[in-house]
Amino acid sequence: MPNCHVTAFADFLTRSHRELFASCRGRSLDRGRFSQALLAAILMAGIVVALPAQVHPGLHFAELGKRHLPVDLDQTRALAFGDVDGDGDLDLVVGNWGQQNRLYRNSGTGTFTDGTAGRMPVDADRTTSLVLGDVDGDGDLDLVIGNFQQQNRLYRNDGTGTFTAATTSRLPLDNDGTTSVAMGDVDLDGDLDLVFGNFLQNRLYLNNGAGTFTDATASRMPVDSDNTNSVALGDVDGDGDLDVVFGNGGQQNRLHRNDGTGTFTDATASRLPVDGDSTTSVAFGDVDGDGDLDLVFGNGGLFLEQSRLCLNDGTGTYTDATAGRMPLASSGTLSLAFGDFDGDGDLDLVFGNFLQNRIHANDGTGTFTDVTPSRMPVDGDQTAAVALGDVDDDGDLDLVAGNTSLYFGQANRLHLNDGMGTFTDTTAGRVPTVGGRTRAMAFVDVDGDGDPDLVIVDEQHQNRLYLNNGMGSFTDATAMRMPFGNHASTAVAAGDVDGDGDPDLVIGNHGQQDRLYLNDGAGVFTDATVTRMPADSEETTAVALGDVDGDGSLDMVLGTWGYNRLYLNDGTGTFAYATIGRLPLVSDATTSVALGDVDGDGDLDLVVGNGGPLGQQNRLYLNSGTGTFADATASRMPVGTDTTLALAFGDVDGDGDLDLVIGNSGYYGGQQNRLYQNNGTGTFTDVTASRMPVVGDNTTSLVLGDVDGDGDLDLVIGNFDECSAWTGCSGQQNRLYLNHGAGTFTDATASRLPTGSDQTFAVALGDVDGDGDLDLVVGNGHGQQNRLHMNLQRQLDAAHLLRAGQPYTLDVYSRAGLSNASDLAFPYLSTTRRSIPVRPYGTLGIDPMAPLPLVLIPQPAGIGSVTWTVPNNPAFAGVEVFAQALLIQALTDLRLTNVTADVVLR
């Protein structure tokens, strides 16, 4: 983007007052001068904008991000675009497995709201497919729903987008294993008929013209017992009627030719290539521009097979042209769609896959190139449905991906097209969307830029490094910065082990060699295990770093299901086995370890948390000062046989010593978590009954931190639930306990933490966006998305993309709980980033250029909004715009929010 465009945009922004932050050019700020400047700016602005709370009413934490599509955790299996309410834009119907199907209404600009309540019948079917069409000839789009081993359904539209169930009187009774449905006039009588693809016999329902269907399968469709996953209608032989292709799982796909009256004959043997693929999806399209319908079969699902391109010779006879025309990939395809997404006049392909979705660009002759890396957001979703449509009325095809997972739902995604076939995720959160089996995490500034980055260790996949942009948004930097390998990792600890001033990583692995990754100072890690770590293959479950022998270097304690280990550091990051003679040899089922000076003698003592299905006694080992530990459990620790999975040290009662919080799990039944109070000499007393809520969770992780800014340590608890082949994974609610200042905790989960049923194995607190409060990251297993919950004490958020000619709304959260009076926010826009400490108000993160109207934030809702219309000038495309606000909380407390950033899109 030429610099003149950035300058022009900056000039546009500065057509207003800049006095408020004029005194911030230096490194210090006079409070009185600042307050006077603020008052002057308020008086000059003249307008106070007060908008009602729109999202997350009252919560202290929320998962923020772009929200052009409603946030959901449904098990989506089907999508259908159509203008259901007659307002000229494309609405979206979402079909879910075992959950309510949904109607999302389009604002006309590509922002959808959930219109299900009041407009869709209540249902919880196992929906696998959807199709919209005017079945009753009244000019609006009705909805047909295909369900698996349940009654298929017909919903009639009243013309305004309100659907009424009409199944009983208009659709034949069935209980088929329906996986797909297609709509078209197969008998040429002017109305829309239905073909259902089923497990076992596929079916044909003929329409009487008024939207009442009759089952004509017996007389008009060949007998079959295929495992059909997909069905497509199209005139393959050029005779003017609709033929049908069935995509089958692990069986021969089939082509049935229409005789023009809606009677079909199986023409597979002579017209389709022989196959036995696991076909999940089928699509017709003229890919080579010769005027006939070619076929693409999407294959794989969990079996990761090659998808196929079959070219039509014009008479409905197909030849497999995959080799040389389709990228060779085993992507686990579950769905596909044709569309000209790059505007060059030919049909391109979108693949919805079990992991990364893909787009293939057509060269106009039917030869496809995978352009995913440069044009599609990275994802780790399990996409079951894709749909293309121009949702924002800009003349290009946008993309919706309907997602599911083996155990949990994943958020569906809307990708907007820039007109040239490059897609932007309008549903993106702040952490990459990679689902795995996260077992541990650490916030650590690996690249020395002053903000916390995120290290994630995964039990089944590649460990990951996410770099923070300084504003709380993370980018996956794993490929270029982390050693490659799947090590069954379970634990991580960060610290400068080699004394070069940057944090290194120790990663504990399950039944494999534990690993040491050394940092080069810029956040690039090298595996130094072979030369610097003792060889091992234990069942490591926990890692802690600390100087246990007082020589100034970080030593290492590893907890295992067996004998725990102590490795001493020689000061250069080379570790030696020192367990014998220094650590008691006890064969516990250790799950967690924590180092801290519990007895006030200046050295690091060790608490060991033990688990196992039957539970075990946790242990306290006191340090002699030279790194030799003695078991003091019997005299200093309460007796107990809990199944402990997590430990956290912290001075929760403000008396200057380290207390201990213990997270327990009963696996299936749950157990009470515990608080042990330290008397100052390292003797612990169980004060759970009087100071902790009575709850029996399956806790896997704990973290202490002052989340509400009142000066004491609060507690966040991560919970999980066991998964099984019969019941799946139900998950558990994570919890937030607020400290009253003396170490008594109250459960504030319901009012402050998002509702959810995550399979959480790790939690971590850190100020990721530089606004002075602690945000929360939640690491989940079983394919669930990890989550970043932003602290809403003082938060600025832009829920929608910054697009030329479109409204851009900034939401300002103020949930510090200081007063019931309304708070004020003074937001500014800028094209320049800054980082100037302005104590005690926070950090000025922008060069303020254009003030927006003041925002009134009513309490206790704690949210206000202001909307700015982006100039409709294509020259501004690509310019980055920043925003920050000054909050006035409880009329007197002044604090700066975080900084947001967005790029102007076309």
Side-chain angles (χ1 to χ4, degrees):
M1 179 61 56
N3 289 335
C4 62
H5 294 158
V6 178
T7 303
F9 195 79
D11 288 342
F12 172 84
L13 292 178
T14 54
R15 294 173 196 162
S16 191
H17 313 292
R18 303 184 62 179
E19 288 82 359
L20 175 59
F21 290 97
S23 60
C24 297
R25 295 290 183 258
R27 291 290 174 176
S28 63
L29 184 68
D30 178 78
R31 183 173 184 137
R33 185 180 176 189
F34 185 79
S35 300
Q36 290 174 3
L38 171 66
L39 179 60
I42 291 173
L43 293 174
M44 287 186 292
I47 301 173
V48 175
V49 177
L51 295 180
Q54 298 179 33
V55 291
H56 315 300
L59 292 181
H60 197 93
F61 290 92
E63 194 174 10
L64 301 181
K66 299 306 179 186
R67 296 187 293 277
H68 287 252
L69 205 63
V71 177
D72 71 85
L73 289 177
D74 296 330
Q75 293 270 8
T76 297
R77 302 294 172 89
L79 301 168
F81 273 131
D83 181 10
V84 303
D85 51 9
D87 62 355
D89 53 50
L90 290 179
D91 307 300
L92 180 65
V93 181
V94 179
N96 296 319
W97 179 274
Q99 295 166 313
Q100 174 67 49
N101 295 321
R102 298 192 181 277
L103 169 62
Y104 293 159
R105 298 181 67 199
N106 192 345
S107 67
T109 64
T111 299
F112 292 85
T113 55
D114 192 338
T116 306
R119 291 181 175 259
M120 286 275 283
V122 175
D123 65 63
D125 296 327
R126 294 191 291 267
T127 297
T128 57
S129 50
L130 301 168
V131 63
L132 286 165
D134 183 9
V135 303
D136 51 8
D138 63 355
D140 53 48
L141 294 178
D142 308 299
L143 175 63
V144 176
I145 299 173
N147 295 320
F148 188 79
Q149 293 182 343
Q150 291 177 321
Q151 174 65 50
N152 296 321
R153 299 193 182 278
L154 169 62
Y155 294 165
R156 291 184 68 199
N157 191 346
D158 69 354
T160 69
T162 299
F163 292 91
T164 304
T167 306
T168 303
S169 59
R170 292 179 175 254
L171 212 60
L173 184 67
D174 69 69
N175 194 30
D176 294 328
T178 297
T179 57
S180 53
V181 59
M183 185 181 286
D185 183 8
V186 303
D187 53 4
L188 301 179
D189 63 352
D191 53 48
L192 294 175
D193 309 300
L194 294 171
V195 178
F196 289 95
N198 297 323
F199 269 38
L200 301 180
Q201 178 64 52
N202 297 316
R203 296 195 180 276
L204 170 63
Y205 292 171
L206 294 182
N207 191 345
N208 70 350
T212 299
F213 293 87
T214 304
D215 190 344
T217 306
S219 59
R220 295 184 179 239
M221 286 278 281
V223 175
D224 70 72
S225 58
D226 295 328
N227 294 327
T228 297
N229 288 317
S230 184
V231 58
L233 286 168
D235 182 9
V236 304
D237 49 10
D239 63 355
D241 53 49
L242 294 176
D243 309 298
V244 63
V245 170
F246 295 102
N248 298 322
Q251 296 169 315
Q252 174 66 49
N253 296 323
R254 298 196 178 277
L255 168 61
H256 293 176
R257 292 184 67 200
N258 190 345
D259 69 355
T261 69
T263 300
F264 293 89
T265 304
D266 190 342
T268 305
S270 60
R271 294 182 177 251
L272 269 189
V274 175
D275 73 77
D277 296 328
S278 298
T279 297
T280 58
S281 48
V282 177
F284 277 125
D286 181 9
V287 303
D288 52 7
D290 62 356
D292 53 48
L293 292 178
D294 307 301
L295 270 174
V296 173
F297 293 103
N299 295 327
L302 294 173
F303 300 101
L304 304 179
E305 295 175 355
Q306 172 70 43
S307 295
R308 299 195 178 278
L309 168 64
C310 295
L311 293 182
N312 192 344
D313 69 355
T315 69
T317 300
Y318 288 88
T319 303
D320 189 340
T322 306
R325 290 183 177 252
M326 285 274 283
L328 296 177
S330 301
S331 300
T333 296
L334 295 173
S335 55
L336 57 87
F338 273 124
D340 181 12
F341 58 68
D342 53 10
D344 62 356
D346 53 49
L347 291 178
D348 309 300
L349 271 172
V350 176
F351 293 89
N353 295 327
F354 188 71
L355 290 176
Q356 176 66 50
N357 296 323
R358 298 199 171 272
I359 55 174
H360 292 177
N362 190 347
D363 69 354
T365 68
T367 299
F368 293 88
T369 302
D370 188 345
V371 295
T372 306
S374 60
R375 298 190 179 207
M376 273 283 280
V378 175
D379 71 74
D381 296 330
Q382 296 168 22
T383 298
V386 291
L388 287 166
D390 182 8
V391 303
D392 52 2
D393 197 30
D394 62 353
D396 53 50
L397 293 177
D398 308 299
L399 171 64
V400 173
N403 296 323
T404 184
S405 76
L406 292 179
Y407 298 112
F408 296 94
Q410 291 178 319
N412 297 325
R413 303 199 174 277
L414 167 62
H415 299 325
L416 288 185
N417 192 341
D418 70 351
M420 296 174 286
T422 298
F423 293 92
T424 300
D425 188 354
T426 70
T427 55
R430 300 197 183 200
V431 291
T433 57
V434 178
R437 292 179 68 93
T438 297
R439 284 299 179 268
M441 301 181 303
F443 272 131
V444 58
D445 181 10
V446 304
D447 51 6
D449 61 357
D451 52 56
D453 307 300
L454 183 61
V455 177
I456 294 177
V457 300
D458 193 294
E459 189 178 30
Q460 289 185 333
H461 309 95
Q462 170 71 43
N463 297 323
R464 297 195 173 274
L465 171 62
Y466 295 159
L467 292 183
N468 190 345
N469 70 350
M471 292 173 283
S473 291
F474 292 84
T475 303
D476 191 340
T478 306
M480 301 299 293
R481 294 180 179 246
M482 282 278 277
F484 177 77
N486 297 338
H487 299 299
S489 298
T490 57
V492 62
D496 181 12
V497 303
D498 54 4
D500 62 356
D502 53 55
D504 309 298
L505 297 174
V506 177
I507 295 176
N509 296 321
H510 182 78
Q512 298 183 29
Q513 173 67 51
D514 298 319
R515 301 207 168 262
L516 171 62
Y517 294 164
L518 295 183
N519 189 347
D520 69 352
V524 178
F525 291 90
T526 303
D527 192 339
T529 307
V530 174
T531 58
R532 297 191 180 227
M533 283 271 285
D536 68 68
S537 59
E538 306 291 339
E539 305 289 333
T540 299
T541 57
V543 177
L545 288 171
D547 180 11
V548 304
D549 55 3
D551 65 354
S553 58
L554 293 178
D555 307 301
M556 187 189 312
V557 176
L558 297 110
T560 75
W561 276 51
Y563 295 100
N564 299 322
R565 285 166 287 146
L566 171 63
Y567 294 165
L568 293 183
N569 188 346
D570 69 356
T572 68
T574 299
F575 291 88
Y577 182 83
T579 306
I580 306 284
R582 289 180 176 259
L583 202 64
L585 292 178
V586 182
S587 182
D588 289 328
T590 297
T591 58
S592 48
V593 293
L595 287 167
D597 181 9
V598 303
D599 52 5
D601 63 355
D603 53 49
L604 294 178
D605 307 300
L606 174 64
V607 172
V608 176
N610 295 321
L614 300 179
Q616 285 182 323
Q617 173 68 49
N618 297 322
R619 299 190 182 276
L620 170 61
Y621 297 151
L622 294 182
N623 191 345
S624 67
T626 61
T628 299
F629 293 88
D631 192 340
T633 306
S635 60
R636 297 187 179 233
M637 282 279 278
V639 175
T641 55
D642 295 328
T643 303
T644 297
L645 296 183
L647 300 170
F649 272 133
D651 180 10
V652 303
D653 52 8
D655 63 355
D657 54 49
L658 292 178
D659 307 299
L660 181 63
V661 182
I662 299 174
N664 296 321
S665 169
Y667 285 97
Y668 298 102
Q671 280 184 340
Q672 173 68 48
N673 295 323
R674 299 195 177 276
L675 173 60
Y676 290 172
Q677 188 178 39
N678 190 345
N679 71 350
T681 66
T683 298
F684 291 91
T685 303
D686 189 343
V687 295
T688 306
S690 60
R691 295 183 177 239
M692 286 273 280
V694 178
V695 180
D697 289 329
N698 289 324
T699 295
T700 58
S701 49
L702 300 167
V703 62
L704 286 164
D706 182 8
V707 303
D708 54 4
D710 63 355
D712 53 48
L713 294 177
D714 308 299
L715 176 63
V716 178
I717 298 171
N719 295 321
F720 85 116
D721 192 20
E722 282 295 313
C723 299
S724 76
W726 296 273
T727 63
C729 300
S730 57
Q732 274 192 344
Q733 174 68 50
N734 296 323
R735 298 191 183 277
L736 170 62
Y737 292 169
L738 292 183
N739 190 345
H740 289 274
T744 299
F745 292 91
T746 301
D747 191 342
T749 305
S751 61
R752 299 207 176 211
L753 210 60
T755 301
S757 54
D758 291 334
Q759 289 284 69
T760 298
F761 289 87
V763 289
L765 288 168
D767 181 10
V768 303
D769 55 359
D771 62 354
D773 53 42
L774 293 177
D775 308 297
L776 171 65
V777 66
V778 176
N780 294 323
H782 299 294
Q784 269 192 312
Q785 170 67 38
N786 296 326
R787 306 186 189 284
L788 174 59
H789 297 311
M790 306 306 297
N791 193 329
L792 303 183
Q793 285 195 111
R794 43 188 170 270
Q795 187 73 27
L796 190 66
D797 181 55
H800 303 114
L801 296 176
L802 184 63
R803 295 187 288 166
Q806 299 292 339
Y808 181 66
T809 298
L810 289 170
D811 296 323
V812 192
Y813 296 88
S814 177
R815 293 186 179 158
L818 299 177
S819 166
N820 288 326
S822 294
D823 295 336
L824 294 175
F826 196 64
Y828 262 79
L829 298 176
S830 178
T831 57
T832 307
R833 188 84 163 90
R834 293 281 186 265
S835 182
I836 303 174
V838 185
R839 295 181 177 89
Y841 309 109
T843 299
L844 180 62
I846 64 172
D847 182 13
M849 291 182 175
L852 296 175
L854 279 172
V855 179
L856 182 68
I857 307 173
Q859 297 297 333
I863 179 174
S865 301
V866 62
T867 298
W868 171 63
T869 300
V870 185
N872 194 12
N873 187 339
F876 295 153
V879 175
E880 191 168 20
V881 178
F882 305 97
Q884 189 175 25
L886 177 76
L887 272 179
I888 310 173
Q889 297 175 310
L891 301 179
T892 59
D893 191 32
L894 276 61
R895 295 301 298 263
L896 289 161
T897 69
N898 60 299
V899 175
T900 68
D902 277 300
V903 176
V904 179
L905 301 179
R906 182 185 64 83

